[in-house]
Amino acid sequence: MIEIDNLSYIVRDGNSDRVILDEVTTLFKRGEVTAITGPSGSGKTSLLYTIAGFLDKNISGKILIDNVNVGVMKQREREKFRLDNIGFIYQNLNLFPFLSVRENILLPLKIRGIKIDDCEIEKYINYFSLDYSKIINKKVNQ
């Protein structure tokens, strides 16, 4: 569960301050899928980056992830917490084109020393309604 309470993010824009997030309060429940929508520049990416701990300057309010207050963590603690608890799929996927779908999925897990079997990989791929057998061994640029 992600709980956000009175979250604000303000950046300096020339001689004035620009409010990116203005006292956002919301709750994302575990197991639910939530879409964050809005026009370009409305703060969607800033919200996600703030939740993940990428942005920590000029932030006020509280961010709790599974009752852990990430806002009070030092940078190294946030990095470790993010590595262990948060996954990102960027708009520009940032996948390794020379690796297969399987290898791209396994890479961050291998870095952390986690082993999973093909059944678990298939479960995640099927979650996105993709045909596991047709894509798992293809290079991602295919």
Side-chain angles (χ1 to χ4, degrees), residues 12-128:
R12 194 79 178 150
D13 189 10
N15 293 329
S16 61
D17 289 337
R18 182 169 168 232
V19 178
I20 307 295
L21 301 173
D22 189 13
E23 299 180 357
V24 175
T25 298
T26 191
L27 179 70
F28 301 105
K29 294 181 182 177
R30 180 176 299 282
E32 291 185 354
V33 175
T34 303
I36 300 170
T37 64
S40 180
S42 64
K44 302 177 300 292
T45 300
S46 294
L47 176 63
L48 294 174
Y49 280 14
T50 303
I51 292 169
F54 290 126
L55 303 176
D56 62 347
K57 307 253 187 293
N58 306 317
I59 303 289
S60 63
K62 190 187 304 184
I63 302 167
L64 298 173
I65 300 176
D66 291 334
N67 294 316
V68 175
N69 189 343
V70 296
V72 298
M73 292 179 175
K74 294 181 178 150
Q75 182 177 351
R76 292 264 185 217
E77 293 173 310
R78 275 195 323 275
E79 290 169 357
K80 172 92 171 88
F81 185 83
R82 183 172 49 246
L83 179 65
D84 293 340
N85 297 282
I86 298 173
F88 257 85
I89 300 175
Y90 292 91
Q91 184 172 352
N92 299 322
L93 294 178
N94 297 330
L95 299 174
F96 293 102
F98 53 89
L99 296 178
S100 69
V101 171
R102 172 189 280 117
E103 292 165 331
N104 269 280
I105 291 170
L106 291 175
L107 184 61
L109 299 171
K110 283 183 180 181
I111 290 169
R112 294 178 53 212
I114 298 171
K115 294 181 180 182
I116 65 170
D117 60 30
D118 279 350
C119 290
E120 289 182 85
I121 296 172
E122 183 175 2
K123 179 180 81 171
Y124 290 117
I125 290 175
N126 288 338
Y127 179 78
F128 293 103

